Amino acid sequence: MIKYLGSKRLLIPGIQAVVGGVPEKGRFLDLFSGTSRVGHAMKSSGWQVILNDWNRYAWVLANAHVVCDSDRLGEIEPIIDHLNALPGKEGWFTETYCRKSRYFTPDNGARIEAIREEIEKLDPDEELKCVLLAELMEAADRVDSTVGVQMAYLKEWSKRSLQPLRMRTPQLLPKSPLGKAQAHCLEAQEAASKLEADVAYLDPPYNQHKYIGNYHVWETLVLWDEPEVYGVACKRTDCREKRSDFNSKPGIHQAMTQLMENLSAPIKIISFSDEGYLPRPEMESLLEKHGNLQVLSRIHPRYVGARIGIHAPSGEKVGKVSHVKNTEYLYILGDLKVEAEDLTSHGWLFEEPLSA
Ligand SMILES: C[S@@+](CC[C@H](N)C(=O)[O-])C[C@H]1O[C@@H](n2cnc3c(N)ncnc32)[C@H](O)[C@@H]1O
């Protein structure tokens, strides 16, 4: 999986323990799927998973890691071997992301470019194409020269960027007995109105940092559209136009209220951080109108950039961060008996709702 701000890797056992309290497995909707690791975990627990994220690279990851089932592995392995053997070929991508900016070494950039061109030429079906693109994205992520976001790159090549790029075989899961997974690329409100589920998991952005701006190279890698770019970071110009209401301090309350109204799932689980634009009292008063509310909290290490320090666009370290931990909340809405033992063993605490 790629390095990703707000990735819920450490929260997955807790989410699985909460969902484990639902008497019958069914459809699990992840409305803001990002890396798709939550959906992957729920598929491995036997749920039929429906994923959504409005960025194209996230839709590709969802198709690759969750929609594609393990019965396709046999046809994927020889293609990955073929792609890994291709010599590099420099072009627009290498010029933009390895010379004008420095996210990858030119050697690795040229290999990314040759493999990406070959995927286009092979013209595989949509699901297989997503698997190949996701494996390429993840191979590129393993040799990048950033602190985990594409707002900037390091001044000196990172150690890992000097390693040769190598695609891996994906870890695919067998199809859920409840049905094939689905991936959608919709704005969250539209997805909430259209997609039905038994459990909906919501992990919206919680501050001003736009995902498309932090991961613009992945968007370009999957779209392969040679976009107009700007600034030292060579961001796509459409990063300026794509604005999420969930990234807006004045907008998030209304966006969350509307989302609760649009979403019909009987059980809703919302991830949010104490550093987010919606403080706990505001989140609770918004949610408790929609059913029985339970609140869990867990102390969590902050994102990798915070632990490494603050860097200038040149990659130079220019400051320290004030703290390296934050509190993650899980707000659970609906009639669900959450088993304390399973959760406390994963570091979660039960919080008394503030209105109690
Ligand atoms: C906190 S991240 C989700 C991380 C994910 N749970 C994981 O573990 O990787 C939030 C995601 O919401 C997506 N997003 C932001 N605004 C959106 C919107 N209005 N509609 C749909 N997706 C949105 C972003 O692309 C991002 O991937």
Side-chain angles (χ1 to χ4, degrees):
M1 302 267 177
I2 53 169
K3 301 182 278 301
Y4 206 59
L5 282 180
S7 154
K8 294 300 174 287
R9 184 171 62 85
L10 298 172
L11 270 57
I12 285 174
I15 297 167
Q16 281 177 307
V18 170
V19 180
V22 180
E24 210 177 322
K25 288 178 185 163
R27 293 156 304 171
F28 178 93
L29 168 63
D30 183 351
L31 209 58
F32 300 86
S33 58
T35 58
S36 77
R37 59 188 353 136
V38 175
H40 187 266
M42 295 315 301
K43 182 179 178 185
S44 74
S45 301
W47 286 72
Q48 182 188 12
V49 176
I50 306 164
L51 303 107
N52 179 70
D53 196 295
W54 74 344
N55 284 326
R56 202 64 181 173
Y57 65 83
W59 174 84
V60 164
L61 293 172
N63 273 295
H65 294 309
V66 190
V67 176
C68 188
D69 299 312
S70 53
D71 55 3
R72 297 206 69 175
L73 258 180
E75 61 185 299
I76 293 168
E77 276 163 349
I79 308 180
I80 299 241
D81 289 343
H82 164 68
L83 295 174
N84 270 330
L86 292 173
K89 183 174 161 258
E90 291 205 17
W92 184 90
F93 187 93
T94 315
E95 178 59 25
T96 308
Y97 300 124
C98 309
R99 296 198 194 280
K100 282 193 189 138
S101 57
R102 287 163 48 99
Y103 294 100
F104 314 99
T105 63
D107 279 356
N108 277 330
R111 298 226 13 250
I112 294 170
E113 189 138 17
I115 293 172
R116 183 62 186 87
E117 286 290 349
E118 182 70 1
I119 294 173
E120 212 57 34
K121 247 194 249 152
L122 293 173
D123 192 24
D125 63 71
E126 186 174 270
E127 188 177 282
L128 181 52
K129 185 170 181 181
C130 288
V131 172
L132 301 174
L133 291 179
E135 290 310 315
L136 178 58
M137 198 190 308
E138 291 173 357
D141 186 60
R142 287 192 290 274
V143 295
D144 74 347
S145 194
T146 73
V147 292
V149 288
Q150 296 162 350
M151 307 270 278
Y153 41 87
L154 299 173
K155 197 172 166 193
E156 303 294 335
W157 292 118
S158 68
K159 212 167 156 196
R160 66 171 175 266
S161 72
L162 303 173
Q163 299 295 315
L165 173 116
R166 184 146 197 90
M167 290 171 73
R168 293 181 184 159
T169 311
Q171 293 188 330
L172 301 178
L173 297 166
K175 183 171 147 191
S176 157
L178 300 177
K180 194 163 170 69
Q182 302 166 19
H184 301 268
C185 194
L186 302 172
E187 202 287 317
Q189 304 294 355
E190 189 185 351
S193 324
K194 284 189 175 158
L195 306 174
E196 291 190 352
D198 302 290
V199 175
Y201 173 65
L202 278 57
D203 183 18
Y206 60 78
N207 61 22
Q208 76 280 14
H209 296 300
K210 294 198 278 182
Y211 278 82
I212 185 78
N214 279 317
Y215 301 104
H216 59 98
V217 180
W218 302 150
E219 195 72 350
T220 299
L221 184 66
V222 303
L223 294 175
W224 209 235
D225 55 352
E226 300 190 7
E228 204 181 308
V229 297
Y230 69 95
V232 185
C234 288
K235 287 190 190 178
R236 309 169 56 87
T237 47
D238 55 10
C239 292
R240 288 181 172 138
E241 290 135 35
K242 197 166 181 177
R243 287 178 195 284
S244 176
D245 291 339
F246 297 90
N247 287 130
S248 149
K249 196 168 187 177
I252 192 167
H253 187 105
Q254 175 53 25
M256 208 56 197
T257 305
Q258 198 186 329
L259 201 56
M260 286 299 122
E261 281 160 17
N262 288 341
L263 201 55
S264 57
I267 296 180
K268 304 175 185 78
I269 303 169
I270 298 105
S271 273
F272 216 69
S273 152
D274 65 338
E275 297 185 332
Y277 280 159
L278 275 177
R280 188 175 150 206
E282 199 175 330
M283 179 70 106
E284 284 196 19
S285 73
L286 185 162
L287 294 178
E288 63 196 5
K289 300 184 186 108
H290 296 271
N292 179 43
L293 178 64
Q294 297 170 79
V295 183
L296 296 168
S297 70
R298 187 180 187 275
I299 307 289
H300 194 258
R302 292 180 82 219
Y303 74 96
V304 64
R307 279 175 277 139
I308 293 169
I310 299 167
H311 291 75
S314 58
E316 217 173 314
K317 194 164 176 171
V318 289
K320 271 190 175 174
V321 284
S322 54
H323 55 293
V324 291
K325 291 195 170 157
N326 67 302
T327 302
E328 289 286 339
Y329 291 108
L330 280 183
Y331 298 93
I332 303 153
L333 262 183
D335 291 327
L336 175 61
K337 188 161 166 30
V338 178
E339 290 299 336
E341 218 174 278
D342 293 347
L343 281 150
T344 46
S345 66
H346 292 300
W348 289 92
L349 295 174
F350 281 77
E351 300 277 350
E352 190 73 22
L354 297 172
S355 60

